[in-house]
Amino acid sequence: MKFIDIIKTSNSNLRRSKLRTFLTLLAISIGTFTLALSLGLGQGLRNYISSELGQYKGVNLYQVEKTTLNNFSGLGNHDPIVYNPNKSPSSANYQNNFLSSADIDQIKKVKGVQNLELPYAVVFDYATSPNGTKYEASNSTFLSQNPLNLVAGKTLDSVDPGSVLLSQKYLPLVGANDISSALGRNLPLTYKNAKGVVSTIIFKVKGVYEPSLIQAPIFINSQDAEKIATEQAPGGSPLFNFVFISKSSDITDVQLKANLSNAKFTGRSFADINNTLNNIITGVQISLAAFSGIAILASIVGVINTLFMAVLERTREIGLFRALGSKKRTIFYLFSVEAALLGFWGGIIGIFFAFLAQIAINQIAAETFLKGVDGIQLLNIRPSLIIFIIVVISVITWIAGLLPAFKASQVDPIESLRYE
Amino acid sequence: MLDIVNVNKIYGKKDKAFSALTGISLKFKKGTSNAIVGKSGSGKSTLLHILIGLDHPTNGEVLYNGKNILKDMNTDSWRGKNVGIVFQQFFLQPNDSVLDNVALPLKLQGITRKKRNLKATEALKKVGLEDRIKSKANDLSGGQKQRVAIARALVDNPSILIADEPTGNLDTENGDAIEKLLFELQKKLGTTLVIVTHDTDLAKRCERVVYLKDGKIENDTNSSKK
């Protein structure tokens, strides 16, 4: 029997007991539906993280902090901890994680470290637009390796006092309607020093960049950042939990991290952060897929039951086929392909509804809890994912059908022709 | 052409052993009509199953043109290509069309749809049902169903046609018509016909009648009673 005829015959056999087939397909499609949504959710988040952190790919930038978070015991809900001078303090003692001047000097001396930059934390009360509207002005200090996607103007130089970079979404702060007209405009930023004295510095927009979830909307130059952060620091000296460094070209990533580790510091590149996030998503994805697996497992029991029923119902037909010259393996193929087709059609139905759910969920997400977050598609059921799921489900149901198919192939043709 | 050589069939073992066939030897010549007659339990069905390779003899062999059908060839393929079978209960696929029912043995052999439909149409013409090609098998009368079964048995021009109580499920009028058709086609196509029946009237229309009793040949005659 030609394989195409086996597929056609098996497919038409599915229509013989419509209700039973429908219920089996329903069970499979529920499993497929949940699997597609869970994998689609993971893929959506992964895509978003990749798109956000993708700009850091190949960027020579490491975040370095003290290696002290090794005995975390909660912030306060624990018994008193006896001081041990030979042991790093608990992370509950948060102040100990700040880097001292000595620490920063030590980091600079680690082999492979070059171009250490301090992430000054500056707090502006507001920015004043030309029409007098006051806006919040969250910001970051510009780092030389920061990979911003400039859409107009130039990036900041290493020494560039009085200049800022502005996100494309923040053009109203300088009263500009388009990106090019924003260049050179004044951006007055107001802050309070440690004693509460209010000051305003008028910056000039030097460049405009594409907005991103992980990039602040305003970048100020490091000279002004240092000045303001020093004014705002209660002790007159800014504190840092971490610093940024670049790696010299004569050392590998692994070697640099080892050198930092020997000096009791931890260095993480942005690729590491990306990997960590991806690992978390993979873990979540696997957990969700495991729940879908339970649904699929239940549907497999349905497939086995359906096929055993079909073997019983078609016993005389099996006998006829054998009497007309059919080989045992043809009978085996007919039933095993029927099982695979149950998975195939169940998969198609499940994916179809998952696709509809994806459209609805993405729309609802975009209008509610993800409103204002550009570029994120919460669910992303890709074509390759669809093919993967359908193939996997078909193979699983095919495997589930092997036992009934084998039983069908072993039916005694003489007995089956007598079967009522 | 088809030889049964000293076939024995024993079911069960030791104390429970039961001999269904004992020392059966028969030669069916090409183009002849033959009947195997006997009461229930005489062993005629067992002989039929052994004859077409669905069952294995305990001893002895079945030869087709000198070759053992169980050892020297693929039995299933041989049966599909060389043996047409007509059953008492028709065994049609009720929801399939008449054409698809007749073409089924060709489909099992892996013949393309176009070729098998051509052959099936030809076979249906032979049994006078060319106008019911698209009908569902379930919509036919008993006599028509048996005609479809005969067309299915003859669709690939087999050299052997086995008919197991072919008129057993039909009324007298339809039974006579089916008998007539079977013998007409057998003569016309030169097929070796083996009818298994307990109907002695039907058997007497065959050139040769083999009487079975308790698994043994009671009588074997080249009667030419037709």
Side-chain angles (χ1 to χ4, degrees), chain B residues 182-207:
Chain B
L182 267 177
F183 286 106
E184 270 178 16
L185 289 171
Q186 184 261 326
K187 287 278 178 208
K188 190 174 167 185
L189 303 172
T191 312
T192 303
L193 175 65
V194 180
I195 298 177
V196 176
T197 183
H198 61 263
D199 180 350
T200 47
D201 290 337
L202 170 61
K204 282 172 186 170
R205 293 186 66 169
C206 294
E207 296 163 61

Side-chain angles (χ1 to χ4, degrees), chain B residues 47-58:
Chain B
L47 180 60
L48 167 75
H49 294 140
I50 288 173
L51 195 63
I52 60 176
L54 279 179
D55 203 355
H56 291 228
T58 309

Side-chain angles (χ1 to χ4, degrees), chain B residues 25-72:
Chain B
S25 290
L26 291 168
K27 286 187 180 219
F28 297 108
K29 289 181 184 168
K30 192 180 176 187
T32 58
S33 60
N34 308 271
I36 298 170
V37 186
K39 292 179 182 171
S40 292
S42 62
K44 57 184 190 300
S45 291
T46 305
L47 180 60
L48 167 75
H49 294 140
I50 288 173
L51 195 63
I52 60 176
L54 279 179
D55 203 355
H56 291 228
T58 309
N59 310 110
E61 54 187 3
V62 179
L63 305 175
Y64 178 74
N65 291 336
K67 288 185 178 176
N68 188 316
I69 63 165
L70 296 175
K71 291 177 182 168
D72 300 338

Side-chain angles (χ1 to χ4, degrees), chain A residues 1-2 5 8-9 16 316-317 320-328 330 412-414 417-418 420, chain B residues 45 49 54-55 74 76-77 79-80 85 87 89 91 93 104-105 107-112 116 152:
Chain A
M1 198 168 178
K2 286 190 184 303
D5 283 327
K8 283 180 180 173
T9 306
R16 288 191 177 187
R316 276 176 75 158
E317 183 182 309
L320 173 71
F321 276 36
R322 297 278 285 116
L324 296 181
S326 173
K327 295 178 177 68
K328 283 183 179 179
T330 304
D412 180 354
I414 299 165
L417 286 169
R418 290 187 190 129
E420 294 293 337
Chain B
S45 291
H49 294 140
L54 279 179
D55 203 355
N74 184 309
D76 295 324
S77 297
R79 190 167 54 248
I85 309 172
F87 300 95
Q89 299 94 331
F91 289 141
Q93 305 284 87
L104 180 61
K107 184 159 102 172
L108 294 174
Q109 283 180 44
I111 292 168
T112 60
R116 61 184 191 241
R152 182 180 65 194

Side-chain angles (χ1 to χ4, degrees), chain A residues 64-95:
Chain A
V64 179
E65 61 196 20
K66 274 187 179 180
T67 309
T68 55
L69 301 174
N70 55 355
N71 54 348
F72 182 72
S73 49
L75 288 175
N77 188 19
H78 56 77
D79 296 330
I81 302 166
V82 177
Y83 174 69
N84 181 350
N86 300 319
K87 187 179 164 192
S88 298
S90 162
S91 61
N93 190 356
Y94 193 67
Q95 293 294 325

